[in-house]
Amino acid sequence: MDVSFRKIDIDQYDEDVLLESELCEPDPRDPAQVLNDAKQKAAAVRQSLARGDIAGALTTALEDAPYGPHVDEAKNLTLQTVVSILNSTKSTEIPNIVRALSPDAQDVLMKYLYKGMAMPGWGDVSGSVLLGWHEKLTEAAGTGCIVRAMTDRRLV
């Protein structure tokens, strides 16, 4: 049986197809600069965690999140940084930390929670940690945070 017809990209013949580059504006920074910024943020987060400033560390990690093509290494480094913060936080401290975040930072945190859940085997973080953060974030930010995280084309 001939199945070669399944390998044809029919979108190439469609004039109205949307490209990813048309859906959102790419990150204006150079990919090398984005990676350098992610490394600096990771170092700043480690210092904040050493001082016990979890809210400050999370705020630092969530600002200017890398997005767009060609910055996958920076995205993975930032995800690891956020996951390290999530793992090192006591469950009783989560509600206060989430309330201290700005609405934009809450939306970015929700994106990282979903990215962590999408990892095979959930990566370095246990499911209970991600779901606990998701619960507390949804209580503080409402379900609109979920909708904004899922509809935003800028993927972290």
Side-chain angles (χ1 to χ4, degrees):
M1 184 168 149
D2 185 25
V3 293
S4 61
F5 69 92
R6 294 182 181 174
K7 297 179 183 176
I8 297 174
D9 181 18
I10 61 169
D11 287 334
Q12 69 182 345
Y13 302 111
D14 189 6
E15 297 173 4
D16 296 329
V17 69
L18 287 174
L19 302 175
E20 187 174 338
S21 61
E22 296 172 339
L23 293 174
C24 69
E25 196 171 307
D27 196 330
R29 301 175 288 178
D30 180 51
Q33 181 185 1
V34 174
L35 180 60
N36 189 31
D37 291 347
K39 289 178 180 177
Q40 290 176 357
K41 272 198 260 185
V45 164
R46 281 192 298 273
Q47 290 175 354
S48 294
L49 287 177
R51 288 191 315 262
D53 182 17
I54 296 172
L58 191 57
T59 301
T60 302
L62 295 176
E63 62 190 19
D64 293 328
Y67 63 91
H70 313 299
V71 292
D72 292 333
E73 191 174 347
K75 287 180 181 182
N76 290 334
L77 179 62
T78 306
L79 175 64
Q80 291 172 357
T81 303
V82 171
V83 165
S84 69
I85 297 168
L86 300 181
N87 277 334
S88 65
T89 307
K90 296 177 185 173
S91 60
T92 56
E93 299 172 346
I94 295 173
N96 294 331
I97 293 170
V98 168
R99 280 191 224 102
L101 294 174
S102 69
D104 290 337
Q106 291 174 343
D107 293 347
V108 174
L109 176 59
M110 186 63 78
K111 289 180 187 182
Y112 279 111
L113 290 175
Y114 284 131
K115 186 169 183 170
M117 289 179 198
M119 292 170 40
W122 294 35
D124 298 335
V125 64
S126 72
S128 62
V129 171
L130 290 177
L131 291 174
W133 275 91
H134 186 275
E135 176 190 10
K136 302 303 182 191
L137 182 56
T138 305
E139 287 174 3
T143 55
C145 182
I146 297 170
V147 174
R148 288 186 297 275
M150 289 191 168
T151 58
D152 192 358
R153 295 293 182 170
R154 293 175 298 161
L155 303 176
V156 294

